[in-house]
Amino acid sequence: MKINKLIAVGLTTLILGAGAFAQSSKNETSVESEYMSSMEDIVITEMANSDQRDNKLVALQYLEAAADKGNVSPDMVRALDLLSGEGISTQSRTKGRLANNYPDIRAKACDILGKVGTEEAAYVLTNVVKNDNEPWVLSRAIHALGEIGSNEDDKVTDTIAFISNRIEVLNPTSSLANEIVDAFEKLLPETKNKKPVIDSLTRIASDYRFVRPVRTKALELLRANSGAASEKKDK
């Protein structure tokens, strides 16, 4: 559905109005504020669903503003889920050709999900890591997961370790390997079974297709955690 300029202007008015209303009555919920929030969600969702790339970019701008204010609704997370899979989980074809392969939109959605920082956002990002093949998007998704720091049942580290192995075989990229090492460093304190992480770090540290600083960083992190891995193996 194409979103015209009037709707975009209307959304701006709604957001500004909602901000002014919230400032004047912080502790009071009203029908008007709930209505404005729901309208904002509806318009952002419509923009995210639009066939027009520009509308998706506008949706991302509003979503980022909401994330910066810590005011992201469940509908907004669903819109980010949609945008993070643009061209992957949701595909639009013209004469058999994929028409909505927008890695820049997927990458930006991952950045915003990192700012949202909830379990739901981490779940969406984990799916991005599993399904996307674009190193740029994977880098942003893995970075965001490291920023969130959630690793329930080691699902996040296991997923990153699996993807780390895949990219080393198919498309070794130093920038992506660097994000993997950084994410592991942040997530290791929350990791119960460190073996998949240790194995992944070992491969990165010894793979000369990656630049020296990345290999060195992986080796340093490996050394810092090799004792814990050995204790786990002995048990």
Side-chain angles (χ1 to χ4, degrees), residues 185-233:
E185 185 174 15
K186 294 171 182 175
L187 293 166
L188 269 168
E190 305 298 322
T191 305
K192 297 175 183 177
N193 179 18
K194 294 180 170 59
K195 186 178 185 306
V197 176
I198 298 301
D199 290 346
S200 181
L201 288 170
T202 301
R203 290 193 301 269
I204 292 173
S206 60
D207 192 333
Y208 284 86
R209 292 173 297 178
F210 299 128
V211 296
R212 184 189 295 272
V214 173
R215 301 198 313 270
T216 300
K217 186 188 295 188
L219 182 59
E220 290 173 352
L221 186 57
L222 182 63
R223 286 171 175 167
N225 290 273
S226 59
S230 298
E231 290 176 12
K232 188 83 175 178
K233 185 176 180 179

Side-chain angles (χ1 to χ4, degrees), residues 60-99:
L60 286 170
Q61 292 174 3
Y62 287 118
L63 288 164
E64 185 169 31
D68 287 340
K69 295 176 183 177
N71 188 29
V72 177
S73 69
D75 283 339
M76 291 181 182
V77 174
R78 283 190 282 273
L80 285 167
D81 185 5
L82 178 69
L83 291 166
S84 69
E86 192 70 39
I88 302 296
S89 58
T90 57
Q91 297 186 345
S92 174
R93 295 187 177 275
T94 301
K95 296 181 179 179
R97 182 180 64 85
L98 184 63

Side-chain angles (χ1 to χ4, degrees), residues 152-200:
E152 184 180 358
D153 297 327
D154 296 344
K155 291 177 182 176
V156 173
T157 47
D158 286 351
T159 300
I160 295 176
F162 172 78
I163 296 305
S164 175
N165 183 49
R166 189 182 78 184
I167 66 108
E168 287 166 40
V169 173
L170 299 177
N171 188 18
T173 305
S174 291
S175 59
L176 178 51
N178 186 60
E179 292 293 352
I180 289 171
V181 175
D182 283 347
F184 280 152
E185 185 174 15
K186 294 171 182 175
L187 293 166
L188 269 168
E190 305 298 322
T191 305
K192 297 175 183 177
N193 179 18
K194 294 180 170 59
K195 186 178 185 306
V197 176
I198 298 301
D199 290 346
S200 181

